[in-house]
């Protein structure tokens, strides 16, 4: 890794830390008055939603496949992590340690499920893959409706309240960073080559099925992590929360932000997950506004808000420091 790249990562870490400090200070000094706790809850929701959406973008944006079953992986992570945290509670682990162990268990369970689904499903493409992944999510939902350990179709309550904004924020930062390094690695570039030309990649000797299944498993793993954070924030779940509509919502956030852009996934997830909540006072029209936003973006930015562009703090500072060089390049 070059010194320039290390410096870039360090600068972005400083930027993320400053963002966290700014948000935390607004909560500490009660900047929103009586709504501060409510806004903090929205920010926590945005954090775990970002993990789910960026993980889905690995499949849809970077691998170029259409998956409609992401809610299934989220639900596996949510339920497994809730069961693990309940089993380990009172065994000497701190709240943070218990949360980390639980969400890792949920992520691993979802990742293994991703491998199990990916091996047969990823030999298909396009609409056929979408149908198979949608069927998988529905099978998982029905199973959770019939397992007594998950509530047997009723609400699974009594889950420990372990997810706070601070923990959700830094878990989100770590997950997004790992996914960013993944797509920038040699492995990630190979996956993107498969996306650009499936036949050429296969003809050049790339084991296409292997790379696709592994990417699918990585995506499922992080979806499970997001589900674990979700479970320990909501403290109660019901299988119908993870239906087809939830998969469609996550997919719409990927497409609106921009397929192939982690920056787009972050902005799309943060905005679209908070929009219905911010408009709760206008409950009659909030879903209408949500739909209008989707339609407008598809009409005027069919590639998503960010397309495949990624935000870089280093690039931004370089342009601010050398505006003349930018103008000369544009000329």
């Amino acid at each position: 890794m070059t010194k320039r790249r290390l410096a870039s990562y360090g600068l972005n870490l400083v930027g993320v830390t400053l963002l966290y400090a700014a948000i935390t200070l607004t909560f500490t000094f009660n900047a929103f008055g009586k709504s501060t706790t409510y806004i903090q809850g929205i920010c926590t929701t945005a954090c775990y939603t970002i993990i789910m959406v960026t993980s889905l973008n690995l499949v849809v944006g970077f691998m170029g496949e259409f998956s409609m079953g992401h809610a299934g992986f989220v639900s596996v992570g949510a339920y497994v992590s809730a069961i693990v945290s309940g089993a380990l509670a009172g065994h000497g682990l701190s709240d943070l340690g218990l949360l980390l162990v639980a969400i890792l268990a949920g992520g691993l369970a979802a990742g293994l499920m991703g491998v199990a689904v990916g091996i047969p499903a990823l030999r298909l493409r396009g609409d056929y893959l979408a149908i198979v992944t949608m069927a998988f999510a529905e099978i998982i939902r029905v199973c959770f409706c019939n397992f007594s350990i998950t509530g047997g179709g009723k609400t699974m309550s009594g889950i420990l309240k372990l997810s706070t904004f601070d923990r959700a924020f830094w878990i989100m930062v770590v997950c997004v960073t790992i996914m960013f390094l993944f797509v920038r690695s040699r492995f990630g570039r190979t996956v993107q080559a498969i996306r650009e030309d499936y036949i050429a990649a296969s003809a050049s000797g790339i084991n296409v099925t292997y790379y696709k299944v592994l990417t699918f498993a990585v995506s499922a793993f992080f979806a499970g992590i997001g589900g674990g954070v979700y479970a320990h924030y909501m403290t109660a779940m019901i299988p119908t929360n993870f239906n087809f509509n939830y998969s469609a919502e996550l997919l719409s956030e990927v497409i609106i932000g921009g397929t192939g852009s982690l920056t787009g996934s972050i902005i799309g997830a943060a905005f679209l997950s908070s929009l219905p909540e911010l408009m709760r006072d206008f409950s009659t029209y909030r879903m209408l506004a949500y739909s209008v936003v989707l339609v407008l973006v598809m009409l005027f930015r069919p590639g998503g808000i960010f397309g495949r562009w990624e935000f870089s703090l280093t690039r931004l500072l370089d342009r601010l420091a050398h505006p003349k060089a930018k103008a000369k390049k544009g000329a």
Side-chain angles (χ1 to χ4, degrees), residues 250-329:
L250 295 176
L251 182 61
S252 67
E253 290 168 5
V254 170
I255 295 172
I256 293 301
T259 54
S261 169
L262 293 181
T263 305
S265 293
I266 293 169
I267 301 301
F271 175 67
L272 291 179
S273 65
S274 60
L275 180 63
E277 295 299 325
L278 293 174
M279 293 190 65
R280 189 169 289 276
D281 291 338
F282 309 95
S283 57
T284 305
Y285 303 103
R286 64 192 182 104
M287 293 313 295
L288 175 63
Y290 184 90
S291 302
V292 168
V293 169
L294 295 179
V295 171
L296 290 176
V297 172
M298 287 296 94
L299 286 175
F300 297 103
R301 293 285 296 178
I305 297 173
F306 286 86
R308 290 183 182 175
W309 180 80
E310 296 285 5
F311 172 78
S312 170
L313 187 57
T314 306
R315 189 189 307 125
L316 176 62
L317 293 178
D318 284 343
R319 290 184 176 180
L320 292 175
H322 305 93
K324 293 183 179 179
K326 178 186 174 183
K328 186 181 294 185
K329 184 177 180 181

Side-chain angles (χ1 to χ4, degrees), residues 178-197:
I178 294 173
M179 283 185 272
F180 174 80
L181 295 175
F182 172 81
V183 299
R184 289 298 181 92
S185 67
R186 181 179 178 183
F187 185 96
R189 290 194 296 271
T190 302
V191 171
Q192 292 174 66
I194 295 171
R195 176 194 66 193
E196 296 301 325
D197 197 322

